[in-house]
């Protein structure tokens, strides 16, 4: 995440999902029962989302807003991932990985066509992946750096050979880098599409809604709804009002403080979903006094994480850089328990008894997290000044120029531990042992052994107090009982519409 060719776009991913952390709130009336009516194959499903894409060119533009709706629905790759981040075939009917972890052989499904009616062949896959491998403006360029060759032995087979094993390679193929486009296609991807998925782009009313229509000639199981309308409602209260007035079948990103309104209406089922969204308090590890590990540890010990999550109304504790859904997760709560007395002692040892620090964060995050940090830090003698800025300013000052002390941002991409193995990342964290372990984890063919190496590296990062992980985000979704199959987990990253049905009323 945040490698040079993708920098601006990927940081937009943070903004895209920053505002959609939610969780279930309170108890309500008796649960609403899901409808048992027959699916209406002519139904329109209307979904409320928060952040609209700036354009639809998923090859050049990153961000959760664009991936959330396009991957699996309009565009597909050889493989995809489920809600719990496991990998499964998509355009490939199956695949094999050689014992040395260097060669990946994919067999394509039969009867796949692009939305313009052209049949998919292995040549399209080769062209799509060669473009990513050679064009640094395309998403995935850095992740494809270790590809030695991409070949099509026949029309239905693709063979990819790596220069060295990479445990994350298949996972990379589940994202934008792995999507397959028609070779030589001239479609303007900024506002149009030509994918292979179960839906086509029907209409985009910019600033309002995006409409998908069922692709009648889809190679797999056809979509069970005729149309999907994504209504973009950036204001949480307005989203709830739209749901209550009957405009929406599904509302994502429900503010936990507003959830009782939907629950008490009796019109919606509320589901809580897991994510890999990491509410990260970033430390500038090379800027005094944060270059002193005692100061960083003191700040972590000063934070009452349980109380912060209660204030936010969402999430679960996360005391290390790897969330529970990612390989290498370990409960590291022993490294940063709430201990304000010890925090004071560490600050005194570091000669920082009257410490003043500045927290710079994008203004759209609101005041809840900063207010909790101000209060917690004050109890150990640290004065925290909060500087909310426009996102473009954050991007320039914090991410690019690394001119900050503390920052808060929501890192949403799964398997992004590599940020802590990159000394040029905006954390300014440089630990050769972590870098070595991460490289070994990537090169390790066995998944369990790779995860063990990641866990070892993650513990080192947390022991160094390179950052603080305030919480792992959760999201709450309100769904009308006539809707079944709407995803619950990881919907900040993507919403697979394939299995959703709407019952006839």
């Amino acid at each position: 995440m945040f490698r040079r060719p993708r920098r601006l776009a990927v940081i937009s991913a943070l903004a895209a999902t920053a505002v959609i952390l939610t969780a279930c709130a309170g108890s309500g009336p008796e649960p609403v029962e899901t409808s048992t009516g027959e699916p209406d194959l002519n139904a329109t499903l209307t979904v409320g989302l928060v952040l609209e894409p700036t354009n639809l060119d998923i090859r050049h533009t990153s961000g959760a807003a664009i991936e959330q709706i396009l991957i699996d629905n309009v565009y597909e790759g050889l493989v995809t991932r489920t809600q719990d981040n496991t990998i499964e075939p998509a355009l490939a009917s199956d695949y094999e990985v050689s014992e040395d972890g260097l060669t990946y052989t994919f067999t394509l499904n039969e009867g796949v066509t692009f939305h313009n009616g052209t049949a998919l062949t292995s040549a399209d896959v080769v062209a799509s992946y060669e473009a990513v491998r050679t064009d640094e403006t395309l998403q995935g360029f850095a992740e494809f750096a270790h590809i030695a060759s991409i070949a099509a032995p026949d029309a239905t087979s693709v063979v990819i050979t790596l220069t060295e094993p990479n445990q994350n390679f298949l996972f990379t193929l589940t994202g934008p880098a792995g999507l397959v486009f028609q070779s030589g296609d001239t479609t303007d991807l900024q506002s149009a599409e030509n994918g292979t998925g179960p839906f086509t782009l029907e209409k985009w009313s910019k600033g309002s809604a995006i409409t998908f229509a069922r692709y009648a000639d889809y190679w797999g199981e056809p979509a069970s709804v005729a149309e999907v309308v994504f209504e973009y409602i950036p204001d949480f209260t307005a989203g709830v009002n739209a749901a209550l007035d009957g405009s929406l079948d599904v509302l994502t990103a429900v503010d936990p403080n507003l959830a009782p309104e939907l629950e008490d209406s009796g019109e919606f089922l509320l589901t809580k979903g897991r994510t890999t969204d990491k509410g990260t308090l970033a430390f500038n590890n090379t800027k005094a006094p944060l270059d002193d590990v005692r100061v960083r540890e003191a700040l972590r010990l000063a934070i009452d994480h349980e109380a912060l999550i209660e204030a936010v109304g969402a999430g679960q504790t996360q005391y290390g850089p790897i969330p529970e859904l990612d390989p290498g997760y370990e409960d590291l709560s022993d490294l940063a328990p709430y201990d304000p007395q010890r925090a004071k002692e560490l600050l005194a040892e570091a000669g920082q008894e009257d410490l003043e620090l500045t927290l710079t964060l994008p203004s759209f995050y609101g005041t809840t997290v900063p207010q909790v940090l101000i209060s917690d830090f004050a109890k150990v003698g640290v004065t925290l000044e909060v500087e909310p800025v426009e996102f473009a300013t954050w991007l320039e000052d914090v991410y690019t120029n690394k001119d900050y002390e503390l920052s808060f941002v929501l890192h949403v991409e799964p398997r992004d531990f590599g940020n802590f193995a990159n000394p040029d990342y905006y954390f300014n964290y440089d630990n050769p042992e972590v870098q070595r372990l991460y490289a070994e984890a990537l090169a390790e063919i066995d998944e369990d052994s790779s995860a063990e190496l990641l866990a070892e590296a993650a513990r080192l990062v947390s022991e160094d107090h390179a950052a603080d992980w305030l919480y792992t985000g959760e999201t709450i979704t309100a769904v009308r009982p006539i809707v079944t199959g709407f995803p619950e987990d990881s919907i900040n990253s993507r919403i697979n519409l394939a299995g959703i049905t709407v019952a006839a009323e």
Side-chain angles (χ1 to χ4, degrees), residues 137-162:
T137 70
L138 294 183
Q139 287 201 74
F141 171 75
E143 287 79 2
F144 274 25
H146 298 299
I147 293 181
S149 64
I150 308 168
D154 54 56
T156 60
S157 300
V158 175
V159 179
I160 302 175
T161 304
L162 307 183

Side-chain angles (χ1 to χ4, degrees), residues 178-245:
L179 299 177
V180 177
F181 300 83
Q182 183 182 344
S183 178
D185 186 26
T186 59
T187 299
D188 179 5
L189 299 184
Q190 291 265 329
S191 56
E193 58 81 16
N194 183 28
T196 62
F199 290 93
T200 63
L201 174 66
E202 183 175 280
K203 182 173 61 175
W204 183 10
S205 301
K206 291 188 177 182
S208 176
I210 293 176
T211 303
F212 289 172
R214 178 169 52 219
Y215 178 44
D217 295 324
Y218 182 58
W219 61 271
E221 189 73 24
S224 296
V225 293
E227 190 176 64
V228 178
V229 179
F230 296 106
E231 296 279 356
Y232 289 98
I233 311 172
D235 180 80
F236 292 140
T237 300
V240 170
N241 290 339
L244 292 175
D245 72 16

